[in-house]
Each structure stands twice: as structure tokens, then as C-alpha cells.
Amino acid sequence: MSVAGLCQLCENALARHTCRYCGRQVCRDHWNETVGACTACAEAVGGDTDGDTPDSFDDDHPDGSRLD
Ligand SMILES: [Zn+2]
Ligand SMILES: [Zn+2]
């Protein structure tokens, strides 16, 4: 019998969050609060992988003059 409310990643702990991407219910250990998704999806969307993220060049003030 499957008990509702178990983490669908480890099936070992109570699910406390529902992933917005895959809809899985996951426990705290498998929840990435920063991304707001389960750890599987958090990796997929690139929580901490850099490479796709364009670097912001800060040295030349893109919005040069701010007039009040
Ligand atoms: Zn889990
Ligand atoms: Zn997910």
C-alpha cells in the first residue's frame, strides 16, 4: 500500500512540498527552496550551474546617467 504524502524521490520521508515543475511531492531533503522545486528539477533548471547565465558586466555602468 502506498501512503499518500511520502516523498516521491526517496519514499522515505513525509512530503512537505509539491514541485511546481514535475508535480512531485518531496520531503525537505529533496526540496530546493531557492529554486522552488524538487532537487531533481532544481538541477535541471540550473540552480547553481553557471554557463548559461550571462555575466553582468559591472565595470561600465550600463545605465550610465540616472537623473532624478
Ligand atoms: Zn525525499
Ligand atoms: Zn520536480
Side-chain angles (χ1 to χ4, degrees):
M1 259 182 255
S2 59
V3 181
L6 276 184
C7 171
Q8 294 181 18
L9 286 181
C10 64
E11 298 184 340
N12 206 17
L14 270 184
R16 299 191 158 273
H17 304 276
T18 302
C19 176
R20 59 199 279 192
Y21 294 104
C22 66
R24 272 190 284 234
Q25 295 180 300
V26 294
C27 67
R28 285 177 61 190
D29 282 351
H30 290 105
W31 178 252
N32 188 318
E33 275 200 0
T34 307
V35 183
C38 70
T39 51
C41 291
E43 284 179 28
V45 300
D48 37 34
T49 60
D50 55 334
D52 279 339
T53 319
D55 271 336
S56 51
F57 295 101
D58 244 280
D59 53 323
D60 204 7
H61 299 294
D63 47 31
S65 51
R66 272 194 289 199
L67 302 177
D68 281 327

